[in-house]
């Protein structure tokens, strides 16, 4: 399995020809959900990632081939999350700070 850097919520997702698809809003099983401006969210298979850096995720297909990969509804997932997928939220997120505070209060952290 290919090893990638972690995927971040809010990370920009591009096609191989550099067309912007949206930002990562969720990773579930072997799929990631993209939030798109003025359009419905879509799900894409993680296996179609070409490369990842700290700011961008580049998919292995061109914009004209998006229809072959996208799903409007969350695909059923019977597979575990791939070994390289680790969703990391940036520390400056108020949601993460609130979740960490709650976890510390309840001794889950």
């Amino acid at each position: 399995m290919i090893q990638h850097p972690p995927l971040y919520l809010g990370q920009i997702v591009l096609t191989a020809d550099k067309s912007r698809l949206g930002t990562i809003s969720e990773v579930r099983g072997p799929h990631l959900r993209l939030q798109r401006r003025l359009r419905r969210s879509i799900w894409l298979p993680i296996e179609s990632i070409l490369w990842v850096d700290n700011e961008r995720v580049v998919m292995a297909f061109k914009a004209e081939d998006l229809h072959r990969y996208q799903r409007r509804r969350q695909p059923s997932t019977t597979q575990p999350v791939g070994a390289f997928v680790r969703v990391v939220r940036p520390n400056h997120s108020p949601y993460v700070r609130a979740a960490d505070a709650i976890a510390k209060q309840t001794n889950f952290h």
Side-chain angles (χ1 to χ4, degrees):
M1 178 176 282
I2 298 172
Q3 295 293 319
H4 290 286
L7 299 173
Y8 294 91
L9 297 180
Q11 208 167 16
I12 296 170
V13 179
L14 306 170
T15 60
D17 55 353
K18 307 296 186 245
S19 294
R20 183 182 169 137
L21 292 176
T23 57
I24 297 176
S25 62
E26 185 178 350
V27 177
R28 191 174 292 184
H31 297 89
L32 55 95
R33 183 179 187 182
L34 299 185
Q35 186 68 36
R36 304 186 310 161
R37 288 187 190 151
L38 304 175
R39 294 183 178 177
R40 291 183 178 180
S41 297
I42 59 171
W43 291 87
L44 293 173
I46 289 174
E47 65 189 19
S48 62
I49 292 175
L50 183 61
W51 61 268
V52 178
D53 66 16
N54 289 334
E55 299 175 8
R56 297 175 300 239
V57 175
V58 177
M59 305 307 283
F61 54 85
K62 293 182 178 184
E64 62 194 34
D65 297 325
L66 174 62
H67 66 280
R68 295 181 185 171
Y69 295 89
Q70 74 180 7
R71 301 288 177 261
R72 297 270 183 216
R73 295 187 184 143
Q74 178 188 351
S76 60
T77 56
T78 56
Q79 299 175 327
V81 174
F84 70 89
V85 177
R86 194 169 45 112
V87 177
V88 180
R89 293 182 175 104
N91 290 334
H92 63 273
S93 168
Y95 301 109
V96 173
R97 286 195 300 263
D100 287 344
I102 292 169
K104 287 177 185 175
Q105 291 173 357
T106 55
N107 295 324
F108 291 136
H109 207 271

